[in-house]
């Protein structure tokens, strides 16, 4: 039997979850303009500005379905994911998402998904696009697959894949079908490189390329005094 409950004000449903052997209690709060209970499926559907808040993590979408037995949330339409902690902010956007509020794993896809990393103590924002993102530990770690594009103020990287680790502030890409490619801009110089493996430390704006490195630098002026090139190949 399906029970439908309509509210003229925001409705709220709270769930309490335990971690570390029950010593830490964290509340998950889900709200929406309309709530539908599915008793036979042990599920709750929220529509109309659905929102999940748990600790420093917030998810918004047009519609969400929460299964209490698994802790799984399916989100549909204009999905927005926010993580804000002492290490900085991370925002993610997609059309669809699956997320587990108990173990912080999930998936983002549809509508050209985007993850934004706001570098701590800086106005710099690193933008990552991909067809699909797989999340671990919320947005602390993400695996990007297919048509990956990484954009920063100093250049872009395109790749078949990428692994983002917020803890180490590292982006790692490797050759799948095509080599990852870096395009960097600095004053009057443009550099384009490709390699089997590329590591990017996004806070330091440092890129390391390994194995079968190839590339070129284009200079728009005759001033070569400030040009220094150092190459390593392993």
């Amino acid at each position: 039997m399906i029970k439908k409950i309509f509210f003229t004000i925001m409705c709220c449903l709270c769930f309490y979850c335990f971690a570390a052997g029950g010593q830490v209690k964290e509340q998950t709060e889900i709200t929406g303009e309309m709530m539908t209970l599915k008793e036979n499926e042990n599920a709750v559907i929220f529509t109309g500005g659905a929102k999940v808040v748990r600790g420093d993590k917030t998810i918004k979408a047009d519609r969400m379905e929460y299964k209490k037995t698994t802790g799984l949330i399916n989100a549909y339409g204009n999905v927005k994911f926010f993580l804000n902690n002492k290490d900085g902010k991370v925002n993610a956007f997609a059309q669809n998402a699956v997320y587990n509020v108990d173990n912080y794993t999930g998936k983002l896809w549809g509508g050209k998904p985007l993850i934004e990393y706001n570098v701590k103590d800086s106005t710099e924002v690193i933008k990552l696009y991909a067809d699909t993102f797989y999340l671990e530990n919320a947005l602390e770690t993400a695996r990007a697959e297919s048509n990956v594009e990484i954009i920063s103020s100093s250049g872009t990287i395109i790749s078949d894949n990428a692994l983002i680790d917020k803890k180490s502030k590292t982006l790692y890409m490797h050759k799948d079908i095509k080599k990852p490619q870096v395009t960097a801009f600095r004053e009057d110089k443009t550099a384009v490189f490709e390699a089997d493996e590329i590591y990017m430390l996004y806070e330091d704006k440092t890129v390391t390329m390994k194995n079968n490195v190839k590339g070129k630098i284009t200079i728009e002026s005759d001033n070569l005094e400030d040009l220094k090139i150092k190459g390593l190949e392993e």
Side-chain angles (χ1 to χ4, degrees):
M1 179 179 180
I2 299 177
K3 294 182 179 179
K4 294 186 177 180
I5 305 173
F6 298 87
F7 292 89
T8 57
I9 60 174
M10 295 291 286
C11 62
C12 173
L13 185 61
C14 297
F15 305 93
Y16 293 88
C17 303
F18 296 84
Q23 297 181 6
V24 178
K25 183 170 70 174
E26 191 171 42
Q27 174 179 302
T28 299
E29 182 180 276
I30 307 177
T31 61
E33 293 178 356
M34 184 178 75
M35 182 177 71
T36 302
L37 301 179
K38 289 186 175 181
E39 289 184 347
N40 57 337
E41 298 180 18
N42 201 20
V44 187
I45 298 175
F46 292 86
T47 55
K51 180 179 178 181
V52 177
V53 178
R54 183 169 185 177
D56 54 12
K57 308 165 192 68
T58 301
I59 307 173
K60 297 181 180 180
D62 294 338
R63 178 177 179 271
M64 291 185 189
E65 179 176 340
Y66 174 74
K67 294 189 176 181
K68 293 179 282 185
T69 54
T70 61
L72 198 67
I73 289 177
N74 289 278
Y76 308 96
N78 299 309
V79 178
K80 300 176 182 178
F81 200 132
F82 306 101
L83 172 64
N84 187 1
N85 57 30
K86 62 181 181 180
D87 297 322
K89 297 179 181 179
V90 185
N91 303 324
F93 308 91
Q95 277 300 107
N96 306 293
V98 174
Y99 184 71
N100 191 304
V101 296
D102 294 334
N103 61 24
Y104 306 129
T105 60
K107 176 183 175 182
L108 304 172
W109 76 98
K112 197 175 183 180
L114 163 66
I115 296 181
E116 296 179 339
Y117 284 80
N118 292 264
V119 178
K120 187 179 179 182
D121 301 324
S122 172
T123 58
E124 175 76 3
V125 177
I126 307 297
K127 295 186 177 182
L128 296 93
Y129 295 92
D131 288 347
T132 308
F133 287 103
Y134 295 91
L135 311 179
E136 294 182 11
N137 193 20
L139 289 166
E140 298 285 345
T141 305
R143 177 165 51 92
E145 288 191 356
S146 186
N147 295 313
V148 177
E149 184 178 14
I150 302 165
I151 301 174
S152 70
S153 60
S154 56
T156 62
I157 302 175
I158 57 174
S159 179
D160 295 324
N161 56 76
L163 180 64
I164 305 100
D165 186 350
K166 187 172 180 287
K167 185 176 181 180
S168 63
K169 303 174 180 61
T170 303
L171 287 160
Y172 169 68
M173 294 133 281
H174 65 85
K175 179 183 177 182
D176 186 359
I177 299 174
K178 297 180 180 180
K179 291 182 180 180
Q181 184 182 89
V182 178
T183 302
F185 310 96
R186 186 176 178 183
E187 297 176 352
D188 59 350
K189 295 179 286 294
T190 301
V192 180
F193 290 95
E194 61 179 29
D196 289 349
E197 297 179 74
I198 294 178
Y199 298 81
M200 178 183 180
L201 298 175
Y202 56 80
E203 274 201 358
D204 298 333
K205 298 183 181 180
T206 301
V207 176
T208 300
M209 292 164 279
K210 294 185 177 182
N211 301 321
N212 300 312
V213 180
K214 296 180 181 179
K216 65 179 181 179
I217 298 176
T218 303
I219 303 172
E220 297 180 359
S221 72
D222 296 328
N223 184 11
L224 304 181
E225 293 181 358
D226 63 343
L227 179 61
K228 296 179 182 179
I229 303 175
K230 181 179 180 181
L232 294 176
E233 182 158 350
E234 298 181 3

